[in-house]
Amino acid sequence: MAEVEAFPVSATDKAVTHLRRLLGSGRLRPGERLKEQELSTEIGVSRTPLREALKLLAQEGLIEVLPNRGARVPLVSESEIDDLFPVMGALEGLAGTRAAAKATDADIDDVRALHYQMAAAWRRRDRATYHRLNREIHDHLLRLADSPTLTRLHGALDARVAGIRFEAEMDGALWDRAMGEHEDMLKALEARNGPALGAVLQRHLETKRETVLAALQEGFAGAGDGQRPV
Amino acid sequence: MAEVEAFPVSATDKAVTHLRRLLGSGRLRPGERLKEQELSTEIGVSRTPLREALKLLAQEGLIEVLPNRGARVPLVSESEIDDLFPVMGALEGLAGTRAAAKATDADIDDVRALHYQMAAAWRRRDRATYHRLNREIHDHLLRLADSPTLTRLHGALDARVAGIRFEAEMDGALWDRAMGEHEDMLKALEARNGPALGAVLQRHLETKRETVLAALQEGFAGAGDGQRPV
DNA sequence: GTTTTCAGAATTGCATGCAATAATCGCCAG
DNA sequence: CTGGCGATTATTGCATGCAATTCTGAAAAC
């Protein structure tokens, strides 16, 4: 067995990872104040690396730090969604264009397999499986685009909406529309038509934007299910 | 006069600003090691906020920090340029599309004024003025796009190539091509043709990519003129 | 009953100290 | 003279302490 590069995870990385999980899982809710003392003891690092982690996540927009007033989980507003999604659309559009150009036959086979599994989940209205496979397909396409910068930026933006539990709220019409767009994606990818794939992805983002906005208006603002009426 | 919100600049902000200037001005050269002690005394803050600043800039890709080995100014490689520019192209394309849709007549007048000043600078081969106005025009368009996320991401990517002194190397043919694209930009903006403006900006980025690559191959790698053969 | 005030507590921002890791340089073998 | 090795030095990573700021809440004023 090859010796694994014994890679000392820094306390800052540990804090970043831990905080990401807290934010993504909804343990920290929008508007909530993040106290350094509290978090540092929970995570098991001192305040210095924790503060570094907070600043890093703030730069990504996942939290916001106010001078002398500590960090908060930002409330996600409609205007932020409207700001965010066009940019994600542009990035995914580029990803699609590149992915179609670079995909090997094997890559396309992989995506096709995921696609048909997802279509099956959609037909039986299995939300959880659908969303898992959906994510896998999008990750796959992004990976095919083969651009670290693209992956990094997209990930940063995606993390901001990850807290919104829009999946649960996805209504039938929007879900069908999304599924239809996925059909078009597969066709464009099979035809290795980059511009078409890019265009579909941009349309798809618009559908996602509407889904997220609907969820937001239903009161699923931000991470967690804390605001759920039951 | 309204009382200005007296806002205390944090030591971290001070360090970030200072480091940005050092990197942008070429005082710190690619490959150079950044020592915390040295920098902190020069900037006048202690190591803690300096370290926060380093991590923030590292997240933007302006520097890289290796575990236990400190921070370095990364060498800019061709592959990084090839990675970066398509993404910037997608962002500027979006900016153009939005800018054309949102611009008021007054906005267009402003851009037109800048454009004709720049054209004059181009005709008399006044590089410095041309590049200043060029930057102003691009900033203006980005501002018209009216998207904080777009501005932020574009700024982060732009900072990475800002250190490369590609302006000095811009050869005649590429310069003329860039100027022609600016003509098209103005036309598209005047016609409020968003897609057209977006497309021009993407083409323009490709021209810039070639310019930067040429400069890189001439040995102007990264910030500063240290590698210049004289 | 509502608002203002102000002392005490809590919290953040930053500097410094100490342990752990990496770089450096002189020394010795070949 | 060159290349490898070990002690010394330099540097990073992190924890902690202290000053400055903000928050809290209870009493006083209206």
Side-chain angles (χ1 to χ4, degrees), chain B residues 4 21 52 68 72 81 124 137 141 147 155 161 170 194:
Chain B
V4 175
R21 198 163 49 230
E52 288 178 0
N68 288 314
R72 301 186 90 85
I81 297 296
R124 68 181 124 87
I137 289 170
L141 291 177
S147 165
V161 289
M170 195 173 206

Side-chain angles (χ1 to χ4, degrees), chain B residues 35-48 50:
Chain B
K35 289 178 202 160
E36 295 179 359
Q37 191 79 285
E38 212 171 273
L39 285 172
S40 67
T41 54
E42 175 176 341
I43 296 176
V45 300
S46 82
R47 281 180 55 222
T48 303
L50 177 77

Side-chain angles (χ1 to χ4, degrees), chain B residues 29-91:
Chain B
R29 302 224 307 272
E32 189 168 344
R33 175 125 175 234
L34 304 175
K35 289 178 202 160
E36 295 179 359
Q37 191 79 285
E38 212 171 273
L39 285 172
S40 67
T41 54
E42 175 176 341
I43 296 176
V45 300
S46 82
R47 281 180 55 222
T48 303
L50 177 77
R51 282 172 58 79
E52 288 178 0
L54 289 174
K55 295 236 157 140
L56 289 175
L57 294 177
Q59 184 161 294
E60 281 184 24
L62 250 83
I63 59 180
E64 55 190 10
V65 292
L66 303 96
N68 288 314
R69 299 226 237 142
R72 301 186 90 85
V73 183
L75 296 159
V76 186
S77 67
E78 287 190 23
S79 65
E80 274 179 82
I81 297 296
D82 288 341
D83 179 41
L84 224 48
F85 272 79
V87 181
M88 289 188 72
L91 294 177

Side-chain angles (χ1 to χ4, degrees), chain A residues 176-198:
Chain A
D176 295 351
R177 191 167 123 196
M179 189 63 225
E181 285 156 0
H182 268 274
E183 296 287 351
D184 294 342
M185 269 180 227
L186 183 61
K187 285 195 197 102
L189 181 63
E190 285 173 334
R192 287 203 170 74
N193 187 338
L197 183 51

Side-chain angles (χ1 to χ4, degrees), chain B residues 1-2 5 15 17 19 64 72 74 90 122 124 136 142 146 187 206 227:
Chain B
M1 191 179 186
E5 186 68 30
T17 306
L19 284 170
E64 55 190 10
R72 301 186 90 85
W122 168 71
R124 68 181 124 87
E136 279 189 47
L142 212 63
D146 189 34
K187 283 195 200 103
E206 168 58 22
Q227 300 185 31

